[in-house]
């Protein structure tokens, strides 16, 4: 029997047992998407299933058992310890199993499917004045089933409890196939269930051991929480099940507790000389019943300042270590008095009770943003692996001192922070995993760190679970008898070891499945280590798969399809597998790679919104470049990638060719023929019109006639604004003159190469950029501002150009002197804009502008002019060539409707639609039949409040 037969036979049996109507996806694409979670580990699964109902979920579990295929349950895939990867069948509960069956406000419980997202459940409970208590940083995508599996917590677990504390009842299918309803409100000691009877006998025989070793402090999450099974805790099997990481069975339904948010909240900000000294204050702080106590030091604050600027950090209490405390209650006077008393008792060097909600929000944001940036803020990549250890809070200060010393002994660096009120410490560490001896160095540190935590009576995991990252080390903190007890529990629930094998019991070694050492075997590691490292920036934390968009833009395609392959994380995982080469074997041309990248809009949202700075647009361009290098390309690459060239060609005979082109593009039959010939989507009815002659030349002549006086500024007209019909260029020139500038319009073309970049024609892009640099740099060298007419083209100078022409120092100088019209006007205090009082402006920042340049200057101007601004997130859906390409119209339209379409409809017909991006204006005209204005056109169309300033 061949290796292929060995792998195929279980899959055949699995599909046969599952029966009709259930898809067991064994494709290389599906397996690549689910080979990693948010941990350091990579395990190739045999197949993936997406059950649509509880009944299908049960059938899938039964089929896996009958076929002898290991099964790993997976929610959002945000597990940090390798809890959600496995060698058999991955069962994704997040795609379909997200129904909220009921919210009982009187009983304060909700009955749900396991794939319900924490933030969605909280939103459903809020109208009743309730919420789901545990709130990890991944709350907008993590599922309740996954939270229960790992016994997740979050910063407010101090007040609202862990996931286990909030379990009321669970319906589960065990590894033996038994269906159980585990209800905390019932005494299960007399149950007729064979599983529960055997479990009670085992507990009864080991009461002393359980009472001695388990439940010693709240964040003792490592191992199994056997303390819930003690008689004094009511033999609470439901709450015990939390934290067993899918090793005993599969949750099919859950009833969870809901909590009321106290109406009054006060923040106390405390400063100490160092973070360990801040941690020493826990015994003084905790008696005041805080709901959250978060700690950090100067390292996190510096990270935020470097990434977001000094304005991102409001004044902090003096010191280099800080504690942020939340105090809540029903009585505002009592809450304030308790906060003041806490401040007085804290022993801080400096501190304050923060009563300003806006300032408190900014302070909490430092902690949240710093945590997100921690993994990419050291000189080398930083990883999890030892990211959530916990000790009793009263011993936290001493533990932190020893932990810093441990890092130093191993020559490692980290950014510690965490839930200090619970004694839990998060830390991303720059393990040398890509080095030849990286795995050995990792093992040496993790092993010593485990002994350090155990010496403080602590837990290797305080909320993420053990998974593949820590299960091997459980004997460091538990006796041999306790380890054997875990195995006996496993034997009762899952005697065949099919439920998430390799975790908790008979664990895989902590270095067995590490992803990074496998990368070193890839030929790409030898030829292009930089690209390999860039692709592996994605750590799988999944901000791109949030229930609702989690940033300004990311990730529009996932919001449209809700499929993992259309997320930034999914694409990164497929690219990582392409680099590995053992699952995705076709290299740059692999069909799995191109299917995953097909619906990427190249919007660059992930470059900013992803905590790790994953730039999928750049990776897609590189893949297309390598795939078609020296080969014929798809027709659309020539039609759209060379669009600036076609635009210039049309303008060579302005009296004839623009009219002919418009006739073809605006006549339905001819348009369809042209679209099919060019590889474009024939469902796209509205096509841009060519201008009758160069807009740049026309406006340059008009400006020359007017001979404006003022400060010099270059008005850089991009290829789209030059070749296609519209008043945008003339409007920008008019506003610049009104603002006291004398605009210069270039005689020579200066194309940024954007369409070459988005179609992966990178050599052509470099040629265009070098030529444009030759034109623009003399002005930049003299300090002349360069105002662009198209935000996506301006963005190229501040992003791709710096990489594509990294050897040309002139590019950075050009980039520094480019600006949007809004950025220029925002620096001009004498410019008085139009009176927009009474106007609602629905503004769609171009996705490249939102992601690379920013839109704050635009928003400040509009609000200062009296407008009511509705800022739309996401992407318009056209995104340059994406929405024009064959097969993309449906997704392009869905993306438009997700944000921009809804905003336009909600604002009504009298609202002004503002869109500086050519694509955005085109999409609005096509899908709503309305005209969107650029900022310059809006200014020109509305009178100024007072006469404009002059130079």
């Amino acid at each position: 029997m061949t290796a292929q037969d060995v792998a195929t036979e279980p899959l055949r049996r699995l599909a046969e047992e599952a029966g009709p109507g259930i898809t067991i996806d064994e494709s290389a694409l599906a397996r690549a998407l689910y080979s990693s979670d948010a941990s350091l580990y990579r395990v190739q699964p045999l197949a993936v299933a997406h059950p649509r109902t509880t009944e299908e979920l049960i059938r899938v579990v039964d089929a896996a058992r009958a076929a002898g295929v290991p099964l790993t349950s997976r929610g959002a895939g945000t597990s940090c310890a390798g809890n959600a990867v496995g060698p058999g069948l991955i069962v994704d509960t997040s795609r379909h199993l997200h129904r909220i069956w009921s919210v009982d406000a009187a009983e304060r419980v909700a009955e749900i499917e396991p794939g319900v997202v924490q933030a969605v459940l909280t939103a459903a409970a809020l109208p009743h004045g309730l919420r789901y208590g545990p709130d990890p940083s991944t709350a907008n995508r993590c599922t309740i089933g996954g939270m229960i599996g790992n016994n997740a917590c979050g910063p407010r677990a101090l007040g609202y409890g862990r996931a286990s504390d909030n379990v009321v009842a669970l319906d589960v299918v065990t590894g033996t196939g038994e269906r159980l309803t585990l209800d905390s409100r019932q005494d299960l000691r007399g149950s007729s269930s064979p599983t529960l009877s055997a479990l009670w006998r085992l507990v009864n025989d080991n009461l002393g051991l359980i009472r001695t070793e388990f439940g010693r402090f709240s964040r003792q999450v490592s191992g199994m929480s056997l303390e819930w099974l003690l008689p004094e805790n009511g033999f609470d099997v439901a709450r015990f099940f939390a934290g067993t990481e899918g090793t005993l069975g599969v949750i099919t339904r859950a009833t969870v507790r809901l909590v009321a948010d106290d109406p009054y909240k006060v923040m106390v900000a405390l400063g100490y000389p160092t973070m360990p000294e801040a941690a020493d204050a826990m015994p003084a702080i905790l008696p005041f019943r805080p709901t959250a106590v978060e700690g950090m030091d100067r390292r996190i604050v510096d990270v935020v300042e470097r990434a977001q600027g000094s304005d991102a950090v409001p004044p902090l209490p003096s010191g280099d270590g800080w504690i942020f405390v939340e105090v809540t209650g029903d009585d505002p006077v009592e809450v304030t008095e308790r906060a003041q008393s806490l401040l007085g008792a804290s022993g801080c060097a400096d501190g304050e009770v923060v009563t300003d909600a806006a300032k408190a929000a900014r302070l909490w944001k430092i902690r949240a943003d710093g945590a997100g940036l921690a993994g990419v803020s050291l000189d080398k990549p930083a990883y999890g692996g030892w990211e959530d250890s916990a000790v009793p809070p009263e011993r936290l200060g001493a533990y932190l001192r020893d932990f810093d010393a441990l890092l130093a002994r191993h020559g490692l660096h980290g950014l510690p922070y965490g839930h200090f009120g619970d004694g839990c410490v998060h830390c991303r560490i720059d393990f040398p995993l890509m080095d030849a001896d990286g795995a050995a160095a990792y093992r040496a540190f993790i092993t010593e760190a485990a002994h350090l935590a155990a010496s403080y009576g602590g837990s290797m995991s305080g909320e993420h679970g053990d998974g593949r990252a820590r299960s091997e080390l459980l004997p460091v903190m538990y006796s041999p008898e306790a380890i054997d007890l875990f195995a006996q529990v496993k034997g009762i629930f899952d005697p065949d070891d099919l439920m998430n094998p390799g975790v908790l019991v008979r664990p895989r070694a902590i270095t067995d499945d590490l992803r990074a050492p496998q990368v070193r075997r890839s030929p790409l590691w030898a030829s292009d280590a930089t690209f390999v490292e860039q692709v592996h920036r994605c750590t799988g934390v999944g901000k791109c798969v949030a229930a609702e968009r989690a940033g300004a833009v990311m990730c529009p395609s996932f919001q449209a399809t809700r499929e993992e392959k259309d997320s930034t994380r999914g694409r990164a995982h497929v690219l990582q597998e392409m680099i590995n080469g053992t699952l995705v074997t076709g290299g740059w041309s692999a069909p799995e790679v191109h299917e995953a990248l097909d619906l990427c809009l190249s919007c660059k949202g992930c470059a900013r919104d992803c905590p790790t700075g994953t730039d999928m647009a750049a990776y897609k361009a590189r893949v297309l470049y390598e795939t078609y290098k020296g080969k014929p390309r798809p027709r659309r690459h020539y039609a759209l990638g060379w669009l600036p060239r076609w635009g210039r060609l049309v303008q060579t005979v302005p009296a004839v060719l623009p009219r002919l082109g418009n006739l073809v593009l605006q006549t339905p039959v001819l348009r369809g023929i042209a679209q099919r010939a060019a590889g474009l989507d024939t469902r796209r009815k509205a096509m841009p019109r060519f201008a009758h002659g160069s807009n740049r030349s026309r406006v340059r002549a008009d400006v020359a006639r007017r001979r404006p006086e003022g400060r010099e500024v270059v008005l850089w007209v991009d290829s789209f604004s030059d070749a296609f019909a519209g008043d945008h260029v003339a409007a920008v020139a008019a506003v610049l003159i009104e603002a006291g500038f004398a605009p210069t319009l270039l005689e020579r073309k200066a194309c940024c190469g954007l369409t070459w970049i988005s179609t992966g024609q990178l050599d052509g892009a470099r040629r265009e950029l070098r030529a444009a640099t030759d034109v623009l740099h003399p002005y930049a060298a003299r300090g002349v501002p360069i105002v662009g007419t198209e935000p996506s083209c301006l963005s190229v100078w501040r992003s791709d150009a710096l990489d594509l022409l990294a050897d040309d120092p002139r590019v950075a100088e050009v980039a520094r002197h480019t600006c949007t019209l809004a950025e220029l006007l925002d620096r001009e205090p004498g410019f008085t804009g139009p009176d927009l009082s009474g106007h609602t402006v629905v503004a769609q920042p171009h996705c490249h502008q939102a992601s690379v340049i920013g839109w704050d200057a635009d928003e400040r101007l509009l609000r200062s002019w009296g407008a009511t601004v509705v800022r739309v997130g996401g992407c318009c859906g056209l995104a340059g060539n994406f929405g024009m390409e064959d097969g993309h119209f449906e997704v392009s339209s869905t993306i438009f409707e997700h944000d921009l379409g809804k905003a336009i409809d909600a604002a009504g017909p009298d609202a002004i639609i503002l869109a500086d991006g050519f694509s955005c204006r085109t999409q609005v005209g096509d899908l709503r039949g309305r005209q969107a204005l650029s900022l310059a056109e809006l200014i020109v169309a509305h009178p100024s409040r007072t006469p404009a300033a002059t130079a």
Side-chain angles (χ1 to χ4, degrees), residues 434 516-536 572-582 584-590 593 619 622-627 629:
M434 292 288 194
Q518 301 176 49
V519 171
R520 293 184 56 84
R521 297 193 288 268
S522 167
L524 259 179
W525 174 253
S527 62
D528 194 348
T530 299
F531 179 77
V532 171
E533 290 174 346
Q534 288 173 344
V535 168
H536 283 82
H573 282 169
V574 174
L575 288 173
Q576 290 168 6
E577 289 298 331
M578 178 199 81
I579 291 166
N580 182 285
T582 57
V584 175
T585 58
W588 300 104
S589 300
V593 171
Y619 308 160
R622 175 68 187 281
V623 168
L624 294 175
Y625 172 74
E626 297 290 349
T627 300
K629 186 166 52 177

Side-chain angles (χ1 to χ4, degrees), residues 119-443:
V120 173
L121 176 58
T122 291
L126 278 176
H128 305 284
L130 302 172
R131 57 165 288 170
Y132 181 69
D135 59 340
S137 61
T138 55
N140 61 7
R141 64 263 196 199
C142 69
T143 65
I144 302 296
M147 291 180 67
I148 293 171
N150 294 346
N151 200 8
C153 301
R156 288 173 178 81
L158 189 63
Y160 301 129
R162 306 157 295 178
S164 58
D165 299 310
N166 290 276
V167 167
V168 177
L170 301 174
D171 286 354
V172 303
V173 180
T174 71
T176 65
E178 187 176 1
R179 279 71 159 160
L180 292 174
T181 295
L182 309 174
D183 196 322
S184 294
R185 298 162 296 193
Q186 298 175 2
D187 188 344
L188 299 178
R189 281 172 283 190
S191 171
S192 59
S193 159
T195 299
L196 297 181
S197 297
L199 183 63
W200 172 241
R201 289 194 297 271
L202 180 65
V203 169
N204 218 27
D205 290 341
N206 292 275
L207 293 175
L209 175 64
I210 296 172
R211 286 177 176 137
T212 303
E213 297 201 32
F214 296 89
R216 291 177 288 105
F217 72 110
S218 65
R219 290 300 185 100
Q220 187 183 342
V221 168
S222 279
M224 297 180 182
S225 298
L226 294 171
E227 70 275 8
W228 286 113
L229 301 178
L230 290 169
E232 55 266 34
N233 292 327
F235 189 58
D236 196 332
V237 186
R239 287 177 174 155
F240 154 75
F241 207 85
T244 55
E245 303 184 32
T247 61
L248 305 183
V250 174
I251 298 170
T252 62
R253 184 175 294 213
T255 302
V256 295
R257 182 171 70 106
L258 302 175
V259 297
D261 243 346
D262 287 331
Y264 300 104
K265 295 182 175 69
V266 170
M267 180 190 204
V268 185
L270 307 170
Y272 298 85
T274 66
M275 186 165 63
E277 287 174 274
D280 288 337
M282 289 307 104
I285 291 172
L286 293 178
F288 293 92
R289 308 188 314 280
T291 53
V293 180
E294 298 293 290
M296 61 183 181
D297 71 0
R298 177 68 63 184
R299 287 170 284 188
I300 287 287
V301 173
D302 289 346
V303 161
V304 174
E305 284 191 335
R306 285 197 301 270
Q308 302 177 2
S310 57
D311 291 344
V313 178
L316 290 165
S318 60
D320 282 330
W322 294 277
I323 298 290
F324 293 163
V325 184
E326 182 180 80
V327 179
T328 69
D330 296 323
D331 182 346
V333 175
E334 186 277 333
V335 169
T336 302
E337 289 177 350
R338 183 153 39 103
Q340 291 286 359
S341 298
L342 185 156
L343 174 62
S346 66
C348 65
D350 187 21
E352 66 171 316
V353 175
V354 183
T355 56
D356 180 353
K359 180 177 180 180
R362 292 185 67 201
L363 290 170
W364 284 119
K365 191 172 184 294
I366 297 171
R367 159 66 176 82
D369 290 351
L373 293 165
V376 293
S377 299
L378 299 174
D379 292 337
K380 299 177 182 178
Y383 305 92
W386 190 261
E387 80 288 337
D388 76 318
S389 58
V391 300
E394 65 273 12
R395 307 192 70 184
L396 180 59
Y399 171 71
L400 285 172
R401 293 179 181 90
D402 284 347
F403 182 71
D404 271 338
L406 176 64
L407 286 170
R409 283 200 303 277
H410 285 260
L412 298 173
H413 306 86
L415 297 172
Y417 61 94
H419 316 307
F420 281 16
D422 286 308
C424 184
V425 180
H426 294 309
C427 191
R428 294 271 168 164
I429 300 171
D430 59 350
F431 297 116
L433 292 176
M434 292 288 194
D435 291 355
D437 60 348
Y442 174 76
R443 170 176 284 281

Side-chain angles (χ1 to χ4, degrees), residues 394-519:
E394 65 273 12
R395 307 192 70 184
L396 180 59
Y399 171 71
L400 285 172
R401 293 179 181 90
D402 284 347
F403 182 71
D404 271 338
L406 176 64
L407 286 170
R409 283 200 303 277
H410 285 260
L412 298 173
H413 306 86
L415 297 172
Y417 61 94
H419 316 307
F420 281 16
D422 286 308
C424 184
V425 180
H426 294 309
C427 191
R428 294 271 168 164
I429 300 171
D430 59 350
F431 297 116
L433 292 176
M434 292 288 194
D435 291 355
D437 60 348
Y442 174 76
R443 170 176 284 281
F445 177 86
I446 294 295
T447 302
E448 194 170 345
H451 283 280
L452 175 63
S455 72
Y456 278 91
S459 176
M460 295 180 295
S461 172
E463 61 182 356
H464 295 162
D466 297 307
R468 282 165 167 71
R470 290 174 283 272
S471 292
E472 181 196 352
L473 299 173
L474 286 171
V476 173
M477 63 176 285
Y478 288 110
S479 68
E481 294 77 14
I483 297 298
D484 183 61
L485 199 54
F486 293 157
Q488 291 183 67
V489 171
K490 174 79 167 174
I492 291 170
F493 279 86
D494 181 32
D496 296 327
D497 199 16
L498 293 178
M499 299 288 107
N500 211 12
V503 173
L504 295 183
V505 174
R506 292 178 290 280
R508 297 279 290 172
I510 60 173
T511 53
D512 277 351
D513 302 310
L514 287 173
R515 184 193 308 111
Q518 301 176 49
V519 171

